Amino acid sequence: MRNYEVMVIFDPNLDERTVAPSLEEFLGVVRNDGGSVEKVDVWGKRRLAYEINKNSEGIYAVIELTAKPETVKELDRQLHIAEDVVRTKVLRPSVH
Amino acid sequence: MAKPAARKPKKKVCLFCQEKISYIDYKDTTLLRKFISDRGKIRARRVTGNCTQHQRDVATAIKSAREMALLPYTSTAR
């Protein structure tokens, strides 16, 4: 089990209130696989430093979790497939 | 003609060593912005005065932040 930090950018055309529930759905993978979610932080809408897919804004969310490497890989894969997700980043803060 | 005395540049001390910060967070854009030029380029170590390790950490943090559109790759703000 390892510590991870996952950052997700959602489509800005989404309603901000729907982000948290849909994020929970994704995190079901982690919980079912014996991992735990420590913190979910939805930043809300934020200006992007450059345009992504013609959008100048994005809804940011940061998740801290503990899980097995395979579980996080699966979570990242599923996030990539989802159309509402613009970009993701998985990081291990404890390494540094 | 006497040569002017060689200029002694003030020795800068690494900010992170001073403050004893071990982990540089890529989400902390206000801090990272101090280490990029107004064009968005990463400032050199001789400018920032960072130590080798921390300059490296700053650079990776900036690159991570760029991937997530927290910092610009380039900006043509002049």
Side-chain angles (χ1 to χ4, degrees):
Chain A
M1 299 289 250
R2 281 173 170 165
N3 260 330
Y4 289 94
E5 189 183 291
V6 184
M7 189 187 249
V8 189
I9 305 181
F10 284 95
D11 195 292
N13 303 317
L14 247 66
D15 194 339
E16 264 175 58
R17 279 162 296 183
T18 65
V19 166
S22 70
L23 210 53
E24 279 306 307
E25 236 170 84
F26 287 118
L27 294 176
V29 188
V30 180
R31 294 208 174 90
N32 293 338
D33 234 8
S36 62
V37 180
E38 269 98 56
K39 213 170 117 193
V40 179
D41 186 9
V42 180
W43 289 6
K45 219 168 257 183
R46 220 189 117 108
R47 235 192 121 67
L48 301 174
Y50 50 88
E51 283 193 359
I52 301 175
N53 302 341
K54 312 275 177 210
N55 290 320
S56 58
E57 282 183 324
I59 302 171
Y60 280 77
V62 181
I63 307 139
E64 278 169 36
L65 51 87
T66 314
K68 290 199 278 279
E70 307 89 67
T71 317
V72 175
K73 213 171 170 187
E74 173 63 16
L75 172 70
D76 196 34
R77 189 188 72 86
Q78 289 190 10
L79 285 169
H80 265 283
I81 293 169
E83 281 187 14
D84 298 338
V85 176
V86 180
R87 209 162 271 202
T88 62
K89 187 170 193 65
V90 179
L91 220 81
R92 282 183 57 201
S94 53
V95 176
H96 305 287
Chain B
M1 207 167 84
K3 247 175 138 185
R7 275 182 63 225
K8 254 199 203 137
K10 212 178 126 224
K11 181 92 181 104
K12 294 191 201 96
V13 188
C14 174
L15 184 86
F16 299 101
C17 290
Q18 238 176 357
E19 308 267 319
K20 296 203 166 50
I21 301 168
S22 56
Y23 175 58
I24 300 171
D25 195 356
Y26 73 103
K27 299 189 293 300
D28 190 358
T29 48
T30 40
L31 174 73
L32 293 178
R33 266 181 200 281
K34 285 184 197 162
F35 298 101
I36 59 173
S37 70
D38 36 321
R39 279 247 155 162
K41 302 210 286 186
I42 299 172
R43 288 229 163 95
R45 178 155 54 239
R46 64 168 178 277
V47 181
T48 59
N50 284 350
C51 69
T52 319
Q53 190 53 52
H54 283 126
Q55 176 71 12
R56 213 175 237 270
D57 294 346
V58 166
T60 39
I62 289 173
K63 284 165 189 171
S64 295
R66 280 177 180 168
E67 276 184 45
M68 296 310 279
L70 297 171
L71 290 176
Y73 280 103
T74 58
S75 64
T76 46
R78 63 175 60 194

